[in-house]
Amino acid sequence: MVGLLDIAPLTEKVAVGGAKVEVFGVSAKGIVSLLSRFPEARMLMTGKDVGVDRLMQMSGDAIAAIIAAGIGFPGDEAQEQAAGRLSVEAQADLLTAILKVTLPNGIGPFVEKLTALGAIVGNVAEVSPKAPATKSPN
């Protein structure tokens, strides 16, 4: 049987300044951190239509944080500062690769899975056993 340690993470190498930077998919922990810090990132992860122009309007701090998370250093201030100093083209290349490896099937299928999970969790809460109603004697 295959265990989680046997599965190689999906990665991509991105050329930046003559070097290759390895990009990983952002983990659930990284996504939660990003969503709590940056409302703009919520649009990406909740399946809202986010065009290239909207991506470029996101704050530089959010972009740098996404890049740091995507290279395996979520919340690392030094990595975020380094990402913030990259050219816009390098940032766009890294963001494209990060989204590709984080959500290899796209944002739409990811949102569908979250919606289905929410429905399951909601149904579990609805069918959970409740204490039987008691009648008080009059």
Side-chain angles (χ1 to χ4, degrees), residues 103-123:
L103 302 169
N105 296 318
I107 291 175
F110 176 72
V111 171
E112 288 173 15
K113 290 175 187 176
L114 287 180
T115 302
L117 181 60
I120 291 168
V121 170
N123 288 338

Side-chain angles (χ1 to χ4, degrees), residues 85-101:
R85 291 190 296 269
L86 295 171
S87 70
V88 172
E89 183 175 9
Q91 289 178 341
D93 290 343
L94 288 164
L95 283 172
T96 300
I98 289 164
L99 286 174
K100 182 177 173 183
V101 297

Side-chain angles (χ1 to χ4, degrees), residues 43-44 48-58:
M43 290 180 67
L44 291 173
K48 297 215 165 113
D49 185 26
V50 182
V52 173
D53 56 330
R54 178 68 176 142
L55 283 174
M56 291 301 132
Q57 292 174 2
M58 288 175 60

Side-chain angles (χ1 to χ4, degrees), residues 3 5 10 15-16 18 20 47 53 67 69 94-95 102 117 126 130:
L5 296 176
L10 181 60
V16 178
K20 295 276 187 174
D53 56 330
I67 292 171
L94 288 164
L95 283 172
T102 300
L117 181 60
E126 289 176 16
K130 296 180 181 179

Side-chain angles (χ1 to χ4, degrees), residues 3 18 28 31 37 47 54-55 76 79-80 95 109-110 116 131:
I31 288 173
R37 287 176 59 196
R54 178 68 176 142
L55 283 174
D76 185 302
Q79 293 290 333
E80 289 181 16
L95 283 172
F110 176 72

